[in-house]
Amino acid sequence: MPTKRTNGKNPLANKPRSGWDMLQGREARIDAYAREYIRFLSEVKTEREAVSFIRDRASRDKNILAIDNRGKALALCRTGSRPLEGGIRIVVAHLDSPRLDLKANPLYEDTELAMLKTHYYGGIKKYQWLARPLAIHGVVVKGDGTMVDIVIGEDEAEPCFTIEDLLPHLAGKAQYGKKIEDAFVAEKLNLICGSRPDLKAKDEKVKGQILTLLNRKYGIVEQDFTSADIEVVPAGRAREVGFDRSLVGAYGQDDRVCSWAAFSALFAARKVPYTTIVLLVDKEEIGSDGNTGAKSIFLEEVLWTLAARLKQDIRPARVLYRSRAISGDANGALDPDYPEVHEKNNAARMGYGVCVTKFTGSRGKAGSSEAHAEYMGWIRNILNRKEIPWQTGELGKVDEGGGGTVAKFLAEYGMDIVDAGPPLLSMHAPFELSSKVDVYATYLAYRAFMEES
Ligand code: MN
Ligand code: MN
């Protein structure tokens, strides 16, 4: 059959279309959605803060059951008309982001500066954390078992913290002469937290003064740091980026962008034919281990709780085997300054919508659960039918590097699962960039998946 050409375009060829083009006329919706997203990113910098923010939203919606796992992971459930035994729909995303954690014994004094030792969490480029304002977010469990929340450094009226960097005048041998991974050392990521001496003290005058301040403000003593989760994160609010305000710049968009899109889609969905769970997990950035990570049995526990509530007799393993899922995670966008790490026909582009990734992994797809053709076909059909901007993308050239997501841990249950999330620039940096239209397309995609019968 001869091919008809429209505007000189071959209709048989796959020509990606910009999300801005596909969603013309909906700019006000896209901007309004981004404004809410920016507020969320500005208020929420840790997995604990994400859980309490989302749980609070969920409590206002009588259709949603929220099941909390230790304040660090959360399942939001919405009941569908079909019985659980036929399978459910799941969108999973992670709430943790790369950061610096305080060590168990962090406080010391050097050169009459009070310092806090850190141990980085997740994949960071260490130099990105130097010489910039940082905030402290966390909890401390005191000797008597009571818990204190600490958030300091976000409000401009409060002090912030910083890690100093070597001046360029003296960086020749210590930094410039070295490979980048040797030039920036984890044990030098120490947070400056004070310099005013207690003039009456005999020794550790600055450290002693800080202990006094901490005791006065939070009622804590030095040993309390051993029972604490304290995270050091970039200070400040999320921002619109660009003359045209088309981008969102913020810390923690990997993967709060998918967490945000998933829970807002669950709230907004008109009806869900299948019972739908938005599963928000912790520990992804360090391999998903631990009782709040995707490798834990939390999802089974959620199903037991749900079944009891719905008075349905189920075997969770069978329900999960028959389920369909999206693993929502941010992808790396085609980088205009480093195009050489990408293969341009298979790299996600900013502004081209949600990126559906058939497989992740590295060195010949190792460590990937790879979605089957049938499942890709099903997802693709939904997105095309609803005219939602979408694209595919691999994380970099073959053998360039790579990375994984939580998809493989859920695939172990036997469910079908595929990765889908927006591409980011500067992923894992203190200021990550997303495209507003991609964030909105991700929300539309999750919602369409939830509403599909
Ligand atoms: Mn991620
Ligand atoms: Mn990540």
Side-chain angles (χ1 to χ4, degrees), residues 94 254 284-285 428:
H94 66 95
D254 172 11
E284 192 276 341
E285 297 293 358
H428 280 210

Side-chain angles (χ1 to χ4, degrees), residues 193-354:
C193 68
S195 69
R196 204 189 293 267
D198 174 356
L199 299 172
K200 289 187 211 110
K202 282 210 184 78
D203 56 358
E204 295 197 312
K205 294 174 181 212
V206 181
K207 177 184 167 180
Q209 182 81 312
I210 296 296
L211 283 173
T212 306
L213 282 172
L214 288 172
N215 189 259
R216 216 176 284 153
K217 190 167 163 74
Y218 302 109
I220 60 175
V221 297
E222 191 172 13
Q223 201 191 54
D224 293 336
F225 280 117
T226 61
S227 50
D229 291 336
I230 300 179
E231 305 180 12
V232 178
V233 297
R237 296 182 65 79
R239 308 277 300 271
E240 290 179 310
V241 174
F243 286 119
D244 60 2
R245 301 169 180 265
S246 57
L247 305 160
V248 174
Y251 164 71
Q253 296 198 71
D254 172 11
D255 185 33
R256 285 177 208 129
V257 65
C258 295
S259 306
W260 166 261
F263 87 77
S264 57
L266 187 71
F267 293 172
R270 239 168 272 123
K271 60 165 181 50
V272 290
Y274 291 85
T275 292
T276 303
I277 297 179
V278 168
L279 181 68
L280 303 173
V281 294
D282 181 26
K283 309 277 191 230
E284 192 276 341
E285 297 293 358
I286 55 168
S288 296
D289 297 300
N291 60 3
T292 51
K295 286 188 197 169
S296 79
I297 60 157
F298 177 49
L299 182 56
E300 291 168 55
E301 171 63 22
V302 168
L303 270 184
W304 285 120
T305 307
L306 199 56
R309 210 175 241 236
L310 299 174
K311 299 191 169 60
Q312 291 184 26
D313 185 23
I314 58 148
R315 282 146 291 180
R318 171 162 285 184
V319 173
L320 293 172
Y321 188 83
R322 294 171 173 178
S323 293
R324 291 180 175 186
I326 284 180
S327 161
D329 210 345
N331 209 309
L334 179 61
D335 188 318
D337 291 321
Y338 294 90
E340 64 273 23
V341 305
H342 301 280
E343 185 268 288
K344 67 178 186 340
N345 289 337
N346 287 282
R349 285 161 197 263
M350 297 288 278
Y352 277 74
V354 61

